[in-house]
Amino acid sequence: TLLIGIEVNGARRWLAIPGMAFRFQPVEIAKCATILAVALLSTPREGRGHMSSRRTLVTLGLAMVPVLLLLAQPDLGNAVLLASLSALIVFVAGAPWRLLGWGAVVGAGGLALFIARNEYAWRRISGFIDPWQDAQNSGFQLVQSFVAFSHGGLFGAGLGNGWQKLHYLPEVHTDFVLSLVAEEMGLLGVLLVLGAFAALLVAGTRVASRANSRFALLLAFGITALLTVPSLINAGVVMGVLPTKGLTLPLISYGRTSVVITLVSLGLLARIHHELVIAARRAEALETRKRKKK
């Protein structure tokens, strides 16, 4: 994207397909591909129950390539998300605690330096700390999000009756779509959406815990985190708990590339579960044959 990407709102995150009125975000593909690669490299070799320091460094080094490219766009939110998910996978795989601790310290220092050297990132932090102080500029989105939650109340204003989507709340169809849910469906609608992601988290965790191989376990865990962690962060942003990250709400926010890759990720998770079902049926059939022979 640095060479031929399309710039929107000060960030060069999109690529256009020549001859077609279509553009996509490579970051969505990169996140899924990186999760696959990190899960594969994190799978212990030779029956080991933990990762060696060398394998941990190689795996995290691979993950840092797309992370650094994302920072160059700039896309701080997805860069932090991808780095965190990669660290979580190697942690589950049994990476050395001390190495991960030093990595966290270096990452936190690099994040602070990036924010200090980039005005747009600092504006997001200042707008989060006190959005009312600059309600017409850096804090505008968050203030309008609060207005949407206030207007929605417990049961909401009704589907289609929201006001904030009428050019009051920027990016209401992407980053702040949960604010629209809160305004039109109320607190109950927000709880329904978050409850659905909680159910996905439980289901994905169960699939990962029952996986029949370490790679399947790490992949199922990584995909589950990829689908649910952004939803938690997005909810925190629109409620003023976290600074604006630019992360969308999977399956609800507008975004063609995001929807396609999310469905691919769900397909991978469903495939892992399918393999578990087949293995269970084979084991049951084998047990039945043994009983008949007796």
Side-chain angles (χ1 to χ4, degrees):
T1 59
L2 296 178
L3 299 177
I4 58 175
I6 299 174
E7 184 173 338
V8 178
N9 294 331
R12 196 178 294 272
R13 304 175 185 175
W14 289 265
L15 290 178
I17 299 179
M20 297 179 62
F22 177 78
R23 61 187 183 186
F24 67 97
Q25 281 190 299
V27 60
E28 301 297 339
I29 303 173
K31 286 189 293 186
C32 185
T34 303
I35 293 298
L36 279 164
V38 170
L40 179 62
L41 290 177
S42 299
T43 303
R45 298 294 190 267
E46 301 175 357
R48 295 181 180 179
H50 62 277
M51 290 180 65
S52 64
S53 297
R54 179 178 178 277
R55 180 169 291 277
T56 301
L57 290 174
V58 170
T59 303
L60 293 179
L62 172 68
M64 285 304 297
V65 174
V67 168
L68 293 176
L69 290 174
L70 287 173
L71 289 176
Q73 289 184 355
D75 189 351
L76 179 60
N78 277 307
V80 173
L81 173 66
L82 190 54
S84 301
L85 294 181
S86 300
L88 280 174
I89 294 175
V90 298
F91 170 76
V92 173
W97 281 76
R98 183 175 299 179
L99 191 59
L100 290 178
W102 279 112
V105 171
V106 173
L111 178 61
L113 181 62
F114 180 87
I115 294 175
R117 293 176 61 88
N118 288 269
E119 184 180 355
Y120 96 97
W122 177 247
R123 285 201 307 267
R124 288 188 170 186
I125 297 297
S126 61
F128 159 72
I129 294 175
D130 189 2
W132 301 101
Q133 184 177 2
D134 194 10
Q136 297 300 320
N137 193 5
S138 61
F140 184 78
Q141 276 188 307
L142 188 53
V143 169
Q144 295 303 316
S145 179
F146 290 158
V147 172
F149 272 83
S150 176
H151 184 217
L154 182 60
F155 300 104
L159 288 176
N161 295 328
W163 297 343
Q164 293 304 97
K165 63 187 178 185
L166 304 176
H167 303 289
Y168 290 101
L169 180 59
E171 311 300 337
V172 70
H173 62 300
T174 55
D175 299 3
F176 281 77
V177 69
L178 192 61
S179 301
L180 180 61
V181 173
E183 184 180 19
E184 298 192 351
M185 301 179 64
L187 176 61
L188 295 182
V190 174
L191 292 178
L192 179 64
V193 171
L194 297 182
F197 281 106
L200 176 60
L201 175 62
V202 172
T205 303
R206 291 181 63 185
V207 171
S209 64
R210 298 175 182 179
N212 49 19
S213 69
R214 288 296 295 273
F215 172 66
L217 184 154
L218 295 175
L219 180 57
F221 173 80
I223 290 175
T224 302
L226 178 63
L227 296 174
T228 56
V229 171
S231 65
L232 180 64
I233 296 175
N234 182 274
V237 167
V238 301
M239 297 178 190
V241 179
L242 295 172
T244 303
K245 300 288 186 182
L247 297 178
T248 57
L249 193 61
L251 292 174
I252 299 180
S253 295
Y254 173 81
R256 289 168 290 194
T257 314
S258 175
V259 170
V260 171
I261 299 303
T262 298
L263 294 178
V264 170
S265 301
L266 287 171
L268 290 171
L269 190 61
R271 179 64 190 183
I272 296 172
H273 178 262
H274 179 67
E275 295 290 345
L276 294 175
V277 173
I278 291 178
R281 290 177 177 175
R282 288 176 178 174
E284 183 179 355
L286 181 61
E287 185 66 24
T288 302
R289 290 176 184 174
K290 289 182 179 179
R291 290 177 181 176
K292 288 182 178 181
K293 288 183 179 180
K294 292 181 179 180

